């Protein structure tokens, strides 16, 4: 069996197109699985390994050195007359932005779970991200050759931790060192793998099909029944056949599986061991059989910027052009590269596209088919395609490109706010001159990275999703832009909010000859309902009546409030979860100005916030620690010393899993401390969970500038 396919053209092409992402917890085997997909589909002719630093999708120097995926890589391959665009995403929580923007534009995803670890913390995060965009998913249980692997426990994990319905299409033959094949529950046959080790020169076919072993007939029939019950639940005709004991054909089973998968009613499950080259061809078969093509998903929904009405665009070349820029990358050879998904119409080299967001026309100078860091020039992109565009100068992540005569704005991509900040100090005057322009390129690439220059301290502050995120930025500064910096200690992105409503009044009156300055604002502040959320920052309401303040000055008042939000009254941190309502004020026919109302609004806001019971918030991290049982007590003590609280404890074999909530401030340096108390045998994962109020006993250290 080979993955090589004939060239596909015409209307048949879009039906045989699969845009999929590989998503999972860190170290579940995403990159290894992707490498095997590329090998068995004939895209590459020699397999690399993560440990050797020679995989196709982990091409950055930092990825090779650290053995992790940092940036999502796009690569195109073919399998059984189908074109598969694969995006291998990072598993580390610091780079969750890559998963977010990939899922926004993909039609389907392969979610990989480790056969030993099951559903781990980042697994839950990426699953929720896929839920957000209603992405159909196929589950692949990997590493069944590992000690402690348990396929059926992973199925239970999916049900309990994700609240999802897995439907096994396969069950393993053997487990751990004895894992040698799978039973195909759709065709009721065994697939036995003939290659036992990881090799880079394997033949295209490495399995044989056999009857089900006699000692597994009963178990196979048990899980076949579960499969039939799942599809019967969604099809009345199949339910009738099932209850009457009539035969349900393979074609009927597959048709029902396609429907259930596309509607996210259930999630088909296959299994294997990617490192040992077991299960990849069957995974590819499942991708083309069950995951949707662009025409199988609902039409993309957008807003007409002129009429403000909803418009639908079908995935056909006959529709007007609509495309979404989901990532910007700075390429050292060709400049800015805009990763783009075309939803409808055709985009050709040399054509002009309209960017609705900034009302500009841009010329596409080149279209590049992506093969990780390899580039192939092509002439056009058609509905459903993903590729890179050269020549786009003003577009940023999440913006829409379309036909100017048929404008539409597609749903953009939302990103989390940074939680960690560090000070970077250029080592030389030359580095000082280059640092701002270099950091600006990173903000263009990565919406979760931000920086600012503080003129009072003459320091540059960078902010991101975690220590590793910022370490990679600094490393890239040195390698890619030759900017050398000293890195300060990490700082926490505290926030401020209020607990009650309050009123504030602000005036700005200045008379110094000629026209003076007059602005007078009365406003109310109120806490926003719901849980504390870093993305729910600010709501502004204009309740002015009878023109006591002309409407021309209302935008200036809002600007003044936004300026004041940057520096709260508790400890000078950004204010979130707050509403502001302008209720009164006054103006002067001659002396009033926008700047006067901005200043008056800032003063009114600060006065109101002082009265509204302001509090300081800190980011709380969801932490899972993996330790041998003998170190469990030390692990819990270490968590307690960091103001952490243990939520639950589980065990997998001899490993204890401690789930806890810990303030981010106390997690800096935790890896070293954990290694010390467990003699190097402990590990952990961490992701942002929520903001919580800082205890009064801890508040004074932050106000005093100690921040810890």
């Amino acid at each position: 069996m080979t993955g090589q396919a004939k060239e596909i053209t015409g209307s048949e092409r879009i039906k045989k197109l699969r845009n999929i992402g590989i998503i999972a917890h860190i170290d579940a085997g995403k990159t290894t699985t992707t490498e095997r997909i590329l090998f068995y589909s004939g895209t590459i002719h020699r397999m690399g390994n993560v440990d050797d630093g020679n995989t196709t999708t982990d091409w950055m120097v930092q990825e090779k050195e650290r053995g992790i995926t940092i940036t999502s890589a796009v690569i195109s391959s073919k399998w059984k007359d189908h074109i598969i665009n694969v995006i291998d995403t990072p598993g580390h929580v610091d780079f969750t932005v890559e998963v977010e923007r990939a899922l926004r534009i993909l039609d389907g995803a392969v979610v990989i779970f480790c056969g030993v670890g099951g559903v781990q913390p980042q697994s839950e995060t990426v699953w929720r991200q896929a839920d957000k965009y209603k992405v159909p998913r196929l589950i692949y249980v990997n590493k069944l050759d590992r000690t402690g692997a348990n396929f059926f426990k992973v199925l239970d994990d999916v049900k309990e931790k994700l609240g999802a319905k897995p439907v096994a299409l396969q069950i393993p033959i053997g487990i751990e060192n004895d894992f040698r094949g799978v039973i195909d529950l759709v065709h009721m046959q065994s697939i036995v793998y003939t290659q036992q080790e990881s090799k880079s020169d394997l033949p295209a076919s490495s399995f044989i099909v056999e009857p089900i072993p006699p000692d597994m007939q009963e178990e196979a029939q048990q899980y076949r029944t579960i499969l039939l019950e799942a599809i019967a639940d969604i099809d009345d005709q199949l339910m009738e056949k099932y209850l009457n004991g009539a035969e349900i054909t393979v074609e009927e089973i597959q048709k029902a599986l396609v429907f259930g998968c596309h509607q996210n009613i259930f999630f088909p499950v296959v299994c294997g061991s990617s490192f040992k080259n077991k299960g990849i061809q069957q995974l590819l078969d499942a991708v083309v059989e069950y995951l949707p093509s662009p025409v199988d998903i609902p039409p993309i929904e957008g807003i007409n910027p002129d009429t403000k009405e909803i418009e639908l665009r079908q995935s056909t070349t006959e529709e007007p052009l609509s495309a979404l820029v989901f990532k910007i990358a700075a390429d050292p050879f060709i400049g800015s590269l805009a990763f783009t998904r075309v939803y409808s119409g055709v985009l050709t080299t040399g054509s002009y596209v309209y960017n609705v967001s900034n009302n500009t026309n841009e010329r596409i100078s080149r279209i590049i088919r992506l093969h990780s860091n390899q580039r192939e020039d092509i002439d056009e992109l058609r509905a459903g395609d993903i590729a890179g565009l050269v020549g786009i100068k003003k577009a940023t992540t999440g913006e829409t490109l379309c036909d100017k005569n048929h404008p539409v704005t597609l749903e953009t991509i939302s990103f989390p706010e940074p939680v960690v900040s560090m000070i970077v100090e250029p080592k030389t005057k030359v580095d000082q001159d280059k640092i701002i322009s270099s950091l600006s390129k990173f903000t263009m690439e990565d919406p979760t990275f931000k920086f600012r220059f503080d003129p009072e301290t003459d320091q540059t502050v960078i902010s991101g999703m975690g220590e590793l995120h910022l370490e990679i930025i600094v490393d890239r500064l040195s390698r890619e832009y030759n900017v050398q910096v000293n890195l300060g200690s990490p700082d926490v992105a505290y926030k401020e909010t209020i607990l009650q409503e309050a009123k504030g009044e602000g005036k700005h009156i200045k008379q110094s000859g000629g026209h003076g300055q007059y602005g007078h604002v009365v406003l109310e502040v109120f806490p926003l309902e719901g849980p504390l959320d870093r993305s729910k920052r600010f709501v502004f309401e204009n309740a002015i009546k009878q023109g006591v303040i002309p409407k021309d000055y209302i935008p200036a008042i809002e600007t003044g409030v936004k300026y004041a939000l940057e520096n709260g009254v508790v400890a000078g941190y950004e204010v979130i979860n707050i509403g502001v309502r302008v209720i009164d004020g006054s103006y002067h026919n001659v002396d009033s100005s926008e700047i006067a109302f901005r200043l008056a609004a800032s003063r009114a806001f600060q006065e109101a916030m002082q009265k509204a019971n302001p509090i300081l918030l800190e980011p709380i991290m969801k932490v899972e620690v993996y330790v041998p049982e003998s170190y469990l007590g030390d692990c819990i003590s270490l968590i307690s010393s960091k103001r952490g609280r243990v939520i639950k404890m589980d065990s997998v074999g001899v490993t204890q899993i401690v789930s806890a909530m810990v303030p981010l401030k106390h997690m800096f340096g935790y890896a070293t401390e954990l290694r010390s108390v467990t003699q190097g045998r402990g590990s952990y994962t961490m992701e942002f969970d929520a903001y919580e109020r800082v205890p009064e006993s801890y508040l004074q250290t932050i106000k005093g500038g100690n921040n810890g």
Side-chain angles (χ1 to χ4, degrees):
M1 185 181 299
T2 176
Q4 296 290 352
K6 65 184 180 182
E7 189 63 30
I8 307 161
T9 59
S11 60
E12 176 193 15
R13 183 180 185 277
I14 193 169
K15 297 177 182 178
K16 296 206 169 186
L17 183 61
R18 299 291 183 272
N19 293 314
I20 68 166
I22 309 293
I23 61 175
H25 182 90
I26 191 170
D27 202 34
K30 295 181 300 301
T31 300
T32 299
T33 301
T34 304
E35 190 77 2
R36 271 56 180 170
I37 286 174
L38 300 179
F39 174 79
Y40 280 108
S41 63
T43 305
I44 60 175
H45 302 289
R46 186 173 183 84
M47 283 187 290
N49 286 309
V50 172
D51 292 342
D52 298 332
N54 61 354
T55 58
T56 305
T57 52
D58 281 355
W59 56 272
M60 291 177 64
V61 174
Q62 294 83 0
E63 293 175 318
K64 294 177 184 293
E65 290 178 348
R66 298 168 187 258
I68 62 171
T69 300
I70 294 170
T71 183
S72 57
V74 184
I75 198 160
S76 184
S77 61
K78 294 178 182 178
W79 182 257
K80 292 185 175 178
D81 291 342
H82 287 71
I83 301 170
I84 305 177
N85 291 320
V86 183
I87 298 184
D88 174 27
T89 64
H92 198 286
V93 66
D94 281 18
F95 310 107
T96 187
V97 60
E98 298 287 349
V99 183
E100 184 79 19
R101 54 187 169 193
L103 287 172
R104 168 63 182 84
I105 57 93
L106 290 171
D107 302 323
V110 175
V111 187
I112 302 179
F113 296 118
C114 172
V116 180
V119 177
Q120 296 168 285
Q122 189 64 7
S123 307
E124 297 181 52
T125 300
V126 298
W127 191 272
R128 288 196 301 270
Q129 287 173 298
D131 280 342
K132 174 181 176 181
Y133 295 111
K134 299 180 175 62
V135 178
R137 275 145 280 174
L138 185 70
I139 294 173
Y140 173 62
V141 182
N142 190 24
K143 300 188 178 184
L144 290 183
D145 61 307
R146 297 287 185 90
T147 301
N150 187 327
F151 174 77
F152 303 105
K153 184 181 183 305
V154 177
L155 296 184
D156 291 338
D157 259 11
V158 171
K159 297 174 193 173
E160 295 169 9
K161 295 183 178 181
L162 302 178
K165 184 176 182 179
V167 175
L169 309 186
Q170 304 169 349
I171 59 173
I173 301 174
I175 204 70
E176 299 180 343
N177 288 334
D178 293 329
F179 175 60
R180 60 189 183 278
V182 298
I183 292 176
D184 177 349
L185 299 173
V186 176
H187 298 88
M188 288 303 280
Q189 61 190 14
S190 292
I191 297 171
V192 179
Y193 304 112
T194 57
Q195 296 291 338
Q196 299 302 311
E197 299 300 331
S198 174
K199 297 179 181 179
S200 60
D201 56 351
L202 292 175
S205 178
S206 56
F207 63 88
I208 56 175
V209 177
E210 298 180 342
I212 298 173
D215 62 342
M216 292 195 69
Q217 286 281 356
E218 185 176 343
E219 186 178 29
Q221 193 56 54
Q222 175 189 347
Y223 281 91
R224 164 82 166 195
T225 300
I226 294 173
L227 168 62
L228 294 178
E229 289 175 350
I231 63 172
D233 279 343
I234 63 172
D235 188 305
D236 291 341
Q237 290 184 337
L238 293 183
M239 176 62 79
E240 185 177 349
K241 292 183 74 172
Y242 176 72
L243 293 176
N244 292 331
E247 180 185 357
I248 300 177
T249 67
V250 169
E251 290 73 20
E252 289 174 321
I253 293 173
Q254 291 177 325
K255 183 179 179 181
L257 287 171
V258 166
F259 178 80
C261 178
H262 290 190
Q263 299 299 317
N264 285 318
I265 299 170
F266 50 65
F267 303 93
V269 184
V270 295
C271 59
S273 168
S274 296
F275 185 68
K276 295 293 181 68
N277 308 302
K278 299 176 180 178
I280 299 301
Q281 290 146 300
Q282 288 70 42
L283 172 60
L284 281 166
D285 287 343
V287 165
V288 301
E289 183 68 45
Y290 303 115
L291 288 182
S293 74
V295 297
D296 294 323
I297 61 173
I300 191 70
E301 188 176 283
I303 302 293
N304 185 308
D306 299 325
T307 65
K308 307 302 180 185
E309 294 182 353
I310 295 176
E311 288 191 4
L312 300 180
R313 293 286 171 88
Q314 304 283 343
S315 289
T316 70
T317 55
E318 285 74 32
E319 291 264 346
L321 173 68
S322 66
L324 189 76
V325 176
F326 66 93
K327 179 176 178 177
I328 301 291
D331 190 291
F333 302 106
I334 59 178
S336 178
L337 184 63
F339 290 68
T340 303
R341 159 73 189 263
V342 177
Y343 284 95
S344 62
V346 180
L347 192 156
T348 58
T349 300
S351 64
Y352 283 86
V353 294
Y354 177 58
N355 185 333
V356 183
S357 304
N358 54 36
N359 191 28
T360 58
N361 288 301
E362 304 222 44
R363 184 177 180 272
I364 308 300
S365 58
R366 293 171 64 188
I367 302 176
I368 296 176
R369 180 79 70 197
L370 304 162
H371 299 288
S372 187
N373 65 330
Q374 302 296 314
R375 318 293 192 204
E376 174 195 353
D377 281 274
I378 57 177
D379 295 328
E380 67 176 18
L381 283 183
R382 302 169 72 83
D385 282 341
I386 297 174
L389 306 182
V390 180
I392 301 290
K393 296 178 181 178
K394 295 185 179 179
T396 59
T397 300
E399 293 187 345
T400 302
L401 306 178
C402 63
D403 181 344
K404 190 170 186 177
N405 295 323
H406 302 87
V408 68
T409 302
L410 304 180
E411 180 187 358
T412 188
I413 309 172
S414 59
F415 300 107
E417 289 290 312
V419 294
V420 175
S421 298
M422 289 184 180
I423 294 171
V424 290
E425 297 179 342
K427 291 184 178 180
T428 67
K429 179 65 169 65
V430 175
D431 293 325
Q432 176 70 61
D433 294 339
K434 293 192 296 184
I435 189 170
I436 299 301
S437 63
S438 301
L439 290 175
S440 296
K441 293 176 182 177
F442 289 132
T443 60
M444 181 180 67
E445 291 183 22
D446 184 352
T448 62
F449 171 74
K450 296 182 179 180
F451 77 94
R452 61 182 173 85
F453 179 73
D454 189 338
E456 294 184 6
T457 61
D458 199 31
Q459 291 176 323
T460 300
V461 181
I462 60 175
S463 303
M465 301 308 296
E467 285 181 275
L468 178 61
H469 187 194
L470 298 184
E471 286 174 11
I472 295 296
I473 292 289
V474 171
D475 191 38
R476 291 184 63 192
L477 268 179
S478 173
R479 294 181 195 255
E480 297 175 25
Y481 298 101
N482 197 28
V483 177
Q484 308 301 320
V485 298
N486 293 317
L487 193 61
S489 300
D491 194 7
V492 175
Y494 291 101
K495 305 290 183 186
E496 297 184 23
T497 194
I498 57 173
L499 297 180
Q500 64 188 50
E501 294 187 14
K503 183 187 297 184
E505 182 176 9
K507 289 184 178 181
H508 178 72
I509 305 173
K510 187 176 181 181
Q511 190 73 43
S512 57
H515 285 312
Q517 296 286 341
Y518 184 89
H520 175 212
V521 176
V522 180
L523 53 77
E524 295 173 336
V525 296
F526 53 93
L528 300 183
E529 296 182 359
L532 295 173
D533 183 350
R534 58 185 168 184
S535 66
K536 193 167 60 179
R537 300 172 64 185
F538 169 57
V539 171
F540 181 81
E541 297 178 4
N542 176 20
I544 292 294
K545 297 180 180 178
Q546 298 177 343
V548 294
I549 298 177
K551 63 180 181 180
D552 291 346
Y553 292 126
I554 299 301
I557 294 173
E558 183 175 1
T559 299
V561 171
K562 287 181 177 179
Y563 179 79
L565 287 171
E566 297 299 319
N567 295 281
V569 300
V570 180
Y573 290 98
E574 180 189 12
V575 183
I576 63 171
N577 284 66
I578 190 167
V580 176
R581 184 183 300 114
V582 185
I583 58 173
D584 201 0
S586 61
Y587 75 102
H588 190 280
N589 283 329
V590 177
D591 292 343
S592 285
S593 65
E594 289 187 359
I595 189 170
F597 273 102
R598 284 202 300 268
L599 293 170
S602 292
R603 292 168 185 168
F605 175 82
Q606 290 175 334
E607 179 183 296
M609 190 174 174
Q610 290 278 12
K611 301 175 183 177
N613 195 2
I615 60 171
L616 190 68
L617 305 171
E618 62 181 342
I620 303 298
M621 310 306 287
K622 180 181 179 182
V623 181
E624 285 209 354
V625 189
Y626 304 83
V627 294
E629 188 172 0
S630 57
Y631 297 104
L632 182 60
D634 293 326
C635 169
I636 293 175
S637 296
L638 185 58
I639 289 172
S640 298
S641 72
K642 297 181 175 298
R643 291 197 292 126
R645 58 184 187 274
V646 175
I647 304 301
K648 65 175 182 177
M649 291 184 287
D650 294 309
S651 61
V652 176
V654 296
T655 300
Q656 297 295 313
I657 304 173
V658 181
S659 300
M661 297 294 181
V662 187
L664 172 62
K665 176 62 184 176
H666 299 299
M667 291 304 296
F668 298 130
Y670 179 69
T672 301
E673 296 173 282
L674 181 63
R675 283 195 296 268
S676 176
V677 300
T678 62
Q679 296 184 358
R681 298 175 64 190
S683 63
Y684 77 101
T685 62
M686 176 178 76
E687 64 177 314
F688 172 81
D689 185 72
Y691 273 97
E692 292 184 3
R693 184 174 182 174
V694 174
E696 288 293 331
S697 59
Y698 186 64
L699 184 59
Q700 293 306 316
T701 63
I702 301 171
K703 285 184 175 181
N706 187 21
N707 199 21

